[in-house]
Amino acid sequence: MNASKALEKTLVASPERKLEADADLDIVRKVQGGDVAAFDKLINKYRERVLGIIYNMTSNREDAADLAQDAFIKAFQSINRFQGQSSFFTWLYRIAVNSTVTHLRKNRLRSFFSLEAVREDDPVSKELVDALTDKTGVGRDAFVRELQEKLNDAMQKLSIKHRTVVTLFEIDGLSHQEIADVMDCSVGTVRSRLHYAKQLLKAELQPYLSK
Amino acid sequence: MKQNSERKITVEDLLRLKRAERPKAEFWATFEAEIRSKQLSAIVNKRPWWHGLSQAAAVVSRYQMPFGAAAALAVTWAGVHYYSPPSVSAVHSVAVTPRAAASAPTAALAATPSAPVALSTARSGEVTRVAAREDLPARDAVVLATASHITKAPVEATLDGLSKSPFAEGISVSLADYREPQAEVARRSVFGSDRDFESALAPARQAPSDPLARMDPAQERRSRLLAPALPAYSPASQRALASDWMRAKASSDERMYESMDRSSSDRMLVGFRF
């Protein structure tokens, strides 16, 4: 993939996403027509991504599970109000992000962090951990744990809006336009927040970065 | 910390590590069971009443322009259709003189059977009611006076329609008072015109007795200024008084000079008190 394609992917939604959106709309029409079981397909399709967003915003596994369930229930209750003017996943993401932001604002002073295990079946993450640690594997688990904690600390030092933008762009891979739709702001605001958040993260994670 | 020097680590790479943080398979079994129960309870439980309001608000917000225009038209039509100006008739307003207004920091309307139109005044927190003066016409109305301004409130009322009310009774009592022959002033506007009033009161008038009113100001000023220098300009009584005053002053001056000479010879300080 060359640089222009990568840049285009960051700016606008990919064609695959549009096909997904069309398929989602068909399922939504079925649910609106009374086929409640069809909603399970949407849950199974998006549960990991919704949970991932919420987990990376809250850094708490239990809260993330509860908030993800609530987001799906809210979407199910309000499915008749979905008009199809935006894609279903944008609408679902907006519900999840708004619920999470409300939860974080309510519990600003209460923060318990709990970590998920890093799955090293992902080749990219395995390669990254190998690059960061000694390939012999001595002290590898402890280092990964430490790195996770540092990442969580750095993310929690960001404001909620900056954290949301970083999560949606860097972790979930949404485009700037999709993030703007989810967060109900302009694309310029998304880019500005993203740039600022990365500067802060660089400062926080400096010991782990290459010179 | 040991880093592989062959690969450059960026913030994006570190954040990519967070993508690999995924729950285990058994977590999803629990997740699915919980969401199923929540889904069922959401179907069974009735939603609170305000959710209906929010749905209605969503519909309204979708068609806010037509709804707004219709509401504006309805309000305009209702205002034009149901609005009628108050049909009060014919009570004249009487202006309170500035002096009365100044003496009445707060005034309120009061109507009593004996005083049909009353002016309630309040000074320093105490409300006093001042009955309408007899020289005010009975059909004249009421003025609300406050400390800062005077508000004329022409309250119009038909006498026929008020025949049973205490207000009307008060008016009739006042009218009876005005019909008495002594109330010449009241006749001015109630029973006659201003011309009749002037002709009726003309014999009773007296010439002004104040001599100052007849004195020419220029002449008075000239005589006052020239009197000390030219005794002919001062009246005889004033001239006598002036001569007495001059004599007294001269004798007191002589006494003062003598005392000053004595004190200076004794080398003592003298203080003058005025």
Side-chain angles (χ1 to χ4, degrees), chain A residues 24-39 42 75-86 88 91, chain B residues 62:
Chain A
D24 292 344
L25 190 58
D26 291 340
I27 299 173
V28 168
R29 296 290 180 227
K30 285 182 185 175
V31 178
Q32 287 174 339
D35 186 3
V36 178
F39 194 74
L42 295 172
F76 177 70
Q77 287 177 324
S78 309
I79 195 86
N80 286 325
R81 283 155 52 188
F82 179 69
Q83 300 292 317
Q85 292 171 352
S86 64
F88 174 76
W91 185 66
Chain B
R62 204 175 303 145

Side-chain angles (χ1 to χ4, degrees), chain A residues 43-77:
Chain A
I43 293 175
N44 290 330
K45 186 176 180 179
Y46 288 108
R47 65 184 185 185
E48 285 194 31
R49 289 164 68 175
V50 169
L51 184 78
I53 291 169
I54 299 172
Y55 168 72
N56 286 305
M57 287 176 70
T58 58
S59 297
N60 186 293
R61 192 172 43 193
E62 287 75 22
D63 286 351
D66 285 342
L67 287 168
Q69 291 167 6
D70 290 344
F72 279 113
I73 296 303
K74 280 182 186 172
F76 177 70
Q77 287 177 324

Side-chain angles (χ1 to χ4, degrees), chain B residues 213-238:
Chain B
R214 289 175 295 175
M215 181 177 279
D216 184 12
Q219 184 184 355
E220 190 269 338
R221 193 184 314 115
R222 191 184 310 117
S223 62
R224 180 164 45 83
L225 292 173
L226 293 176
L230 302 172
Y233 277 86
S234 62
S237 59
Q238 286 184 4

